[in-house]
Amino acid sequence: MGKKHKKVVVLPCSGIGKVFGALARETMYELLEKTRPGTVATTCLPLLVIKDPEAVALVTENPVITIDGCPKDCAKKSVEALGKAVDKAFEAIKFYKEHKDLKPEGIAEVNETGCKLAVVAAEEVAKEVDKLAAGEVA
Amino acid sequence: MMDIQVMKVGVVSCSGEEIPEGTLCRLACRKVLDERPEETVTICLPLFIAGGEEERTFASNYPTITVDGCDKMCAAKATEMLSGKPSKRLSIPEILKKHGLKPPTKLRHFGPEEEPAVKAVAEEIARAVDEVLEEE
């Protein structure tokens, strides 16, 4: 058992061009506000790009889960650019592949079905959040 | 035959996942991109780091407008630092102040209450696009 953590950082894709970017973001908001409030924290991905000291500290001092919207893996790579390996990396399309009955639509924000898929996705990500908060290796 | 060059303007949005103004920024930028597809193009800001040469030369290839949700001005700074100097730097707090609008309070699921702010920011971005196109 490793060190326990009060916070687990979840960083989604920041894209405004693809539905799975919006799904990644909605999943993070679901975790932050409903599924694991108080445990999950986030920061703006561009703050890492400009190396904002507070954002960098949050990410380097806590376990990090990324949820990317496309294979370019911006969220994961933005963390790695700080010299930190992510603890768990998800690609949002995986959640749709596993729940084909919930097809998300929308680009800046997902539709109602996408929101339902985000609830399901958040439950899955929460399992990793719990492991990391407890100090277990994800 | 006349050579008609179609100029596109790059719109780079702060993604601002942590603040309501970030969501406002994304929605307003998306509105402009959807309404003016022939004149605008965008890029995900983190691609300046995560992407390749094509992404890093974005601001060299297109005159670029950055739109930021807070005074940290990530989009403007990152674009200038990693790609090229933006033609215009817009700030959501300044736009809201100019229009006498209150900042949004929700991170997601914007509705009619936030619509005036989205519309005002989109109009300012569209105006900036027109100005850049006139200058080019």
Side-chain angles (χ1 to χ4, degrees):
Chain A
M1 186 81 76
K3 183 186 168 188
K4 289 186 179 179
H5 295 275
K6 285 183 183 170
K7 293 283 178 195
V8 176
V9 180
V10 179
L11 297 174
C13 156
S14 67
I16 56 166
K18 296 180 181 73
V19 66
F20 291 110
L23 176 65
R25 217 163 22 239
E26 184 69 20
T27 302
M28 179 277 290
Y29 286 139
E30 193 63 27
L31 281 156
L32 185 74
E33 295 180 339
K34 292 188 176 172
T35 317
R36 290 295 181 273
T39 304
V40 164
T42 194
T43 188
C44 307
L45 210 49
L47 281 172
L48 301 182
V49 177
I50 65 162
K51 295 191 167 54
D52 176 79
E54 276 179 47
V56 170
L58 179 74
V59 164
T60 53
E61 291 168 11
N62 293 287
V64 176
I65 295 171
T66 53
I67 310 173
D68 271 296
C70 82
K72 292 194 173 181
D73 287 339
C74 287
K76 184 182 172 196
K77 286 179 185 169
S78 295
V79 174
E80 289 173 347
L82 301 173
K84 169 160 177 136
V86 300
D87 295 275
K88 182 75 184 178
F90 288 96
E91 295 217 348
I93 195 169
K94 159 191 159 22
F95 304 119
Y96 172 57
K97 282 180 179 170
E98 291 170 357
H99 301 278
K100 285 279 179 79
D101 54 321
L102 296 174
K103 187 180 180 189
E105 287 178 2
I107 295 180
E109 288 194 306
V110 286
N111 62 352
E112 198 180 330
T113 308
C115 289
K116 286 180 186 167
L117 179 57
V119 172
V120 174
E123 288 295 339
E124 184 170 337
V125 179
K127 291 175 193 165
E128 301 299 332
V129 170
D130 294 343
K131 285 183 196 171
L132 290 166
E136 295 172 29
V137 177
Chain B
M1 191 159 66
M2 211 158 106
D3 181 22
I4 301 171
Q5 190 179 9
V6 180
M7 168 70 73
K8 286 204 177 198
V9 177
V11 179
V12 178
S13 171
C14 129
S15 64
E17 292 87 359
E18 200 183 345
I19 57 171
E21 289 87 344
T23 301
L24 170 55
C25 195
R26 292 192 303 272
L27 291 174
C29 286
R30 191 65 247 172
K31 186 172 164 65
V32 175
L33 290 160
D34 289 343
E35 288 174 357
R36 303 184 63 173
E38 303 301 321
E39 298 161 299
T40 56
V41 63
T42 192
I43 186 172
C44 304
L45 188 61
L47 276 174
F48 288 146
I49 279 184
E53 187 63 20
E54 190 186 341
E55 281 91 1
R56 277 188 281 276
T57 55
F58 183 84
S60 308
N61 296 335
Y62 305 101
T64 296
I65 297 165
T66 57
V67 192
D68 274 292
C70 78
D71 60 8
K72 292 199 173 184
M73 300 293 281
C74 294
K77 285 180 188 170
T79 301
E80 180 148 11
M81 199 163 66
L82 300 166
S83 186
K85 192 173 181 182
S87 298
K88 288 189 183 294
R89 301 153 55 113
L90 303 183
S91 151
I92 299 275
E94 284 175 15
I95 293 171
L96 294 179
K97 194 176 170 188
K98 178 181 164 186
H99 289 262
L101 293 164
K102 286 183 183 169
T105 54
K106 293 195 289 191
L107 285 170
R108 60 174 173 166
H109 302 167
F110 277 22
E113 201 179 325
E114 292 82 13
E115 188 53 35
V118 174
K119 193 165 173 274
V121 175
E123 282 171 2
E124 291 289 340
I125 298 169
R127 187 173 298 124
V129 169
D130 290 337
E131 287 170 4
V132 170
L133 287 171
E134 278 170 26
E135 286 164 13
E136 289 295 321

